[in-house]
Amino acid sequence: MRTGAEYREALRDGRNVWVLGEGKVEDVTTHPATAAMVEEYVAWYDRHFDPEWQDILFAPATPERERAAWAYILPKNSDDLIGMGRSFAKTIFLSAGNITHTPAYGHLISMGVLTAVQERNVSAKQIADAAAYREMIADTGRFLTFCGGAAPLGFRLRDNPADRAALKLVRETDAGIVISGRVGMHTSPAYAEDVYVGALNGVKIGEHNASFIVPVADPGVMTVCRKLAARHANPFVSPLSSRFDELDGQMWLDNVFIPWERVFLVEASPEPIATWLLWHHLYGWLAKAEFTLGLALALADAMALKEHDQTVEYLVDLIADIQTARSCLAAAERDPSYTVGGNCVANHLHLLPGGIAIFKARQRISELLRIIPGSSLVVAPSDADLATPELQAGLEESFGGGGWTALQRSALLQMAWDHVSSGLDGRESAFELHASGGVPAWRGRLRQRFPSYNELANAVLRAIDIPMPEIDVGNIPAAPLAPRRVNTIAATPPPPKS
Amino acid sequence: MRTGAEYREALRDGRKLWVMGIGAVEDVTRHPATRAIVEEYATWYDRHRDPEWRDVLLALTGDNGERAPWAFTVPRTKEDLIGMGRSFARTTFLSAGNITHDPAYGNLIALGILTTLQAQDVSQQQIDNALTYRDMIARTGRFITYCGGAPIIGQRLKPDPADRVALKLVRGTDAGVVIRGRLGMHTSPAYAEDVYIGGMSGIDIDGNRAGFIVPVGAPGVTILCRKPATRETNPFIAPLSLRYDEFDGQMWLDDVFVPWERVFFVGPNPDPIARWLRWHHLYGWLAKAEFSLGLALALADAMALKEHEPTVEYLVDLVVEVQTVRSCIAAAERDPDFTPAGYCVPDHRHLAAGGIALFKARQRISEILRILPGSSLVVAPADTDLAAPELAAGLEESFGGGGWTALQRSALLQLAWDHVSSALDGRESAFELHASGGMPNWRGWLRQNFRDYNRLASAVLRSIDIEMPEIDVSNIPNAPITRRRFAAGVPPVAKS
């Protein structure tokens, strides 16, 4: 495992990064828009050298393998999944569920690529290339992020359907291919070293859909990050926003060369790769919910409400939602599936109800945290206000007491506000409603995987004492996932308004 | 395992039984109000001899192919829980989740008594007695049901608080105790052979809160069952109601002798026993939900709606609810707890989450099944209507077609109606909202069993870069479960 300093140095690779509203970022490690997140990733690597984290972040040696970071284990059994899951849970919680794209997630992407090419089975070389890439990032700690490959809106509205794809193949050579185009939303490209561009990009090689791993710093690559989540400059007021904005972005490719060993021929759907990623997504959402519950419990103590029945009922509401997701994760890891390559993967049949439960609950979870502390949440002062001579005594009288100073209680209230009433919170919600397809995609996946359609339908017929037709509702799971959204393009598009 | 015929014969034990609105029942195996359920229980026993059910109902117990019923297993591993759970799921589904009290449930009651005593400071004799009883029912198949022991409303309103208990100790002897009183709702006493009466009955013996196992056929015992769930007499219209009304009841005890080996110092808290029972409850609720989903899928086919996207969305709504509970049960069995004696028990955090999810969903599940087939659900004919010469052709034209005869489609619609729009459905809902305490109790159990209160609260404080107070919210899990309900105020004088 490399050190955080080595990771930081690796980002000084000449990458071409823009942040909307901020302009060009010459050095992501020092620019005010990006430096804080770089330091969070630095800490992610360095945590692996921290004695206090050893038991959580490292898998013990076994007869089959040496001691290794859970982040880079190729799981072979349920115990591996449980160990990896615990490491995800503990690390994502630290950012309140805001940093969901880490090098460990990158490793899951690489396992997804491996699974996808194993399922497609185009050639042994394809599989060997994917396996070699995964081993390389496990050896080096190189940070990979994921882009489905979908085109930005402007492309999707073009007159000619052939021009609506994100990427175009410019040419093929013996060494690789050259591609151009623009790909839509993905996360942490400013901090990653490679981006996997999935098969939604539209490039076909032969009869196969092509996907690619593209170095962020390659010639011709430009990363365009979204605007920052608006945040207060004082970290007392924005303890999360000032640290955990992982920045989503687009990527523009201008005649970028991809060597053949980074070209992967996969099916059109990104689902084989999502096989691994949904597991991590659910841990991210659970981390946000658990951080919310932690804040709610701390506030119940800080606001002297822990004996208040209605407050406790609100807490139990949060617990019920969190325990449901935890239980689904426990089932997914303890009743796992296996890939065609023999790797052990969290069972989607259990992950999906957990994800859907959180999707249903997340807005209410945020509301409960806004309710529990009372209106003090809205009017809490900053440390600067508390240090102002004209206000100090009055604010101490207003916010101190019961074993908490005004500074302590205000710090907790500000963190709760930053968690569920800030631009960062809004970004997290907007992002997660799209990132893995939102509720429609999670429902669609469960629809495909639920195993008992005909069994249940025919079983109820046996309660009727006359001969009945054989039921076949196999069309329901067999239906493909609905496309996320299809833009309707008028036959004669209106001219742009002047 | 005894046969169904042996079970049927065992019920002719002189039991004193009354069904509200019907009157005295001399022989439960023959009376029209009760015999159908007796036959269901007889089938439960006989199913253990059916080769088609062998792999589901019988566990391999040795290397030589010996098998024993999962229903009477003492679980020691998660594999045992998974096997027991599968047998519960498959058998409970057959009655659409309506028969929730069966001899397998009785084994869980016996395990609950045993593990409660093992966790408490009671004599070895008490533990041995509980173990002997459990082994006896495993050996014989004897059927025990559960009564928490709470008094009925009239007793709870008595002027003297000392009289507001269900039972009183009449006397103790060298051989046992004599008790008297009246006990509130419990299920299937008409069909069980023993009733366990829990510590809520209010009897203390030498300072110990006692529970009892009372034979239904013992002298002095009277069972009063509720009115039957109203139903049509035509099984085509009432395919479930006619077969699966397991009857809840009360029990009156008039100087009933209970030998010491059936007296257990379990304490006043029913939770250690309920820890076993909630697992089975959740399987019962899941069976009802799965039966609803099965009906919805069959109706989507029968009504030619399986390609209709809004219908499929309704189906996915049901799939989500069913799979959430399946996943919680899978977690509970694969991530189990262990009792002090080493028995393996499903983890309650996972069970509670599943139970709460189903409590939230169950009314919507029923509504979706009422929506899904369209108004044909409401106007579907009976087999007798279809056979009436004046109507046969018209009804065939109205309800037949698409590969289904009018008889077949009507049978399915009637089954759906009986499942979610009948008095049996209403009884199931009313019963389950009380039987294990309803949503308040399940939330209370989750509140008690959830881990990480102080850990989560303290962990978020570490994100703040100033010294913070230590959080202690352990009062939240430590609070007792709120009493279900208690009568308040001084009762008025009865009106003449």
Side-chain angles (χ1 to χ4, degrees), chain B residues 329-369:
Chain B
I329 288 178
E333 293 168 356
R334 287 167 168 80
D335 182 25
D337 281 336
F338 289 86
T339 71
Y343 303 149
C344 189
V345 60
D347 184 295
H348 270 246
R349 292 166 301 152
H350 302 308
L351 284 184
I356 291 168
L358 207 34
F359 263 124
K360 288 180 185 171
R362 50 188 298 138
Q363 287 304 310
R364 182 61 183 158
I365 289 172
S366 294
E367 277 190 348
I368 287 174
L369 188 56

Side-chain angles (χ1 to χ4, degrees), chain B residues 246-318:
Chain B
E246 62 184 350
F247 270 136
D248 317 291
Q250 306 165 56
M251 187 161 62
W252 293 359
L253 304 181
D254 182 15
D255 286 356
V256 173
F257 172 73
V258 184
W260 284 116
E261 58 268 28
R262 297 287 186 269
V263 178
F264 304 102
F265 296 153
V266 292
N269 180 7
D271 196 51
I273 297 174
R275 292 182 77 83
W276 290 94
L277 307 188
R278 288 196 286 270
W279 178 33
H280 199 276
H281 294 181
L282 193 48
Y283 269 113
W285 304 345
L286 177 60
K288 177 146 187 175
E290 287 185 335
F291 204 90
S292 299
L293 173 57
L295 277 166
L297 289 163
L299 285 162
D301 186 294
M303 310 302 286
L305 291 168
K306 66 185 182 184
E307 310 275 359
H308 177 240
E309 274 308 312
T311 296
V312 174
E313 286 302 301
Y314 283 135
L315 292 170
V316 176
D317 286 343
L318 298 178

Side-chain angles (χ1 to χ4, degrees), chain B residues 73-385:
Chain B
T73 296
V74 176
R76 295 188 179 277
T77 66
K78 64 183 177 184
E79 286 76 19
D80 288 344
L81 295 182
I82 293 167
M84 294 171 78
R86 190 185 309 117
S87 75
F88 300 160
R90 294 290 295 277
T91 50
T92 316
F93 180 88
L94 295 171
S95 69
N98 287 295
I99 300 183
T100 56
H101 290 63
D102 60 19
Y105 185 73
N107 180 53
L108 298 180
I109 297 167
L111 277 169
I113 298 167
L114 177 58
T115 53
T116 299
L117 296 171
Q118 286 169 332
Q120 296 190 27
D121 183 23
V122 299
S123 70
Q124 188 59 43
Q125 182 66 48
Q126 285 258 319
I127 294 171
D128 290 345
N129 288 342
L131 189 56
T132 300
Y133 181 81
R134 199 221 69 86
D135 289 347
M136 181 274 289
I137 66 167
R139 192 173 60 253
T140 63
R142 190 173 175 87
F143 179 10
I144 181 174
T145 191
Y146 177 90
C147 172
I152 308 165
I153 181 68
Q155 293 156 292
R156 300 202 299 270
L157 295 177
K158 285 187 174 172
D160 182 352
D163 291 335
R164 294 176 188 164
V165 293
L167 298 183
K168 289 207 168 177
L169 180 66
V170 178
R171 62 181 175 276
T173 73
D174 288 347
V177 295
V178 175
I179 56 177
R180 145 196 300 263
R182 309 192 200 289
L183 293 151
M185 184 187 82
H186 51 294
T187 294
S188 280
Y191 311 107
E193 290 153 284
D194 289 338
V195 177
Y196 168 75
I197 300 167
M200 292 162 67
S201 70
I203 291 184
D204 293 324
I205 299 173
D206 297 333
N208 301 299
R209 179 57 57 90
F212 312 92
I213 292 175
V214 178
V216 174
V221 173
T222 302
I223 300 292
L224 290 89
C225 292
R226 63 160 165 77
K227 64 188 182 297
T230 312
R231 58 208 180 206
E232 294 281 345
T233 54
N234 178 356
F236 187 89
I237 298 178
L240 307 175
S241 299
L242 279 172
R243 295 173 62 188
Y244 303 133
D245 189 355
E246 62 184 350
F247 270 136
D248 317 291
Q250 306 165 56
M251 187 161 62
W252 293 359
L253 304 181
D254 182 15
D255 286 356
V256 173
F257 172 73
V258 184
W260 284 116
E261 58 268 28
R262 297 287 186 269
V263 178
F264 304 102
F265 296 153
V266 292
N269 180 7
D271 196 51
I273 297 174
R275 292 182 77 83
W276 290 94
L277 307 188
R278 288 196 286 270
W279 178 33
H280 199 276
H281 294 181
L282 193 48
Y283 269 113
W285 304 345
L286 177 60
K288 177 146 187 175
E290 287 185 335
F291 204 90
S292 299
L293 173 57
L295 277 166
L297 289 163
L299 285 162
D301 186 294
M303 310 302 286
L305 291 168
K306 66 185 182 184
E307 310 275 359
H308 177 240
E309 274 308 312
T311 296
V312 174
E313 286 302 301
Y314 283 135
L315 292 170
V316 176
D317 286 343
L318 298 178
V319 166
V320 169
E321 305 300 353
V322 165
Q323 185 56 47
T324 301
V325 179
R326 285 184 175 186
S327 295
C328 288
I329 288 178
E333 293 168 356
R334 287 167 168 80
D335 182 25
D337 281 336
F338 289 86
T339 71
Y343 303 149
C344 189
V345 60
D347 184 295
H348 270 246
R349 292 166 301 152
H350 302 308
L351 284 184
I356 291 168
L358 207 34
F359 263 124
K360 288 180 185 171
R362 50 188 298 138
Q363 287 304 310
R364 182 61 183 158
I365 289 172
S366 294
E367 277 190 348
I368 287 174
L369 188 56
R370 293 176 197 137
I371 292 168
L372 203 137
S375 58
S376 297
L377 178 74
V378 184
V379 295
D383 54 348
T384 48
D385 304 314

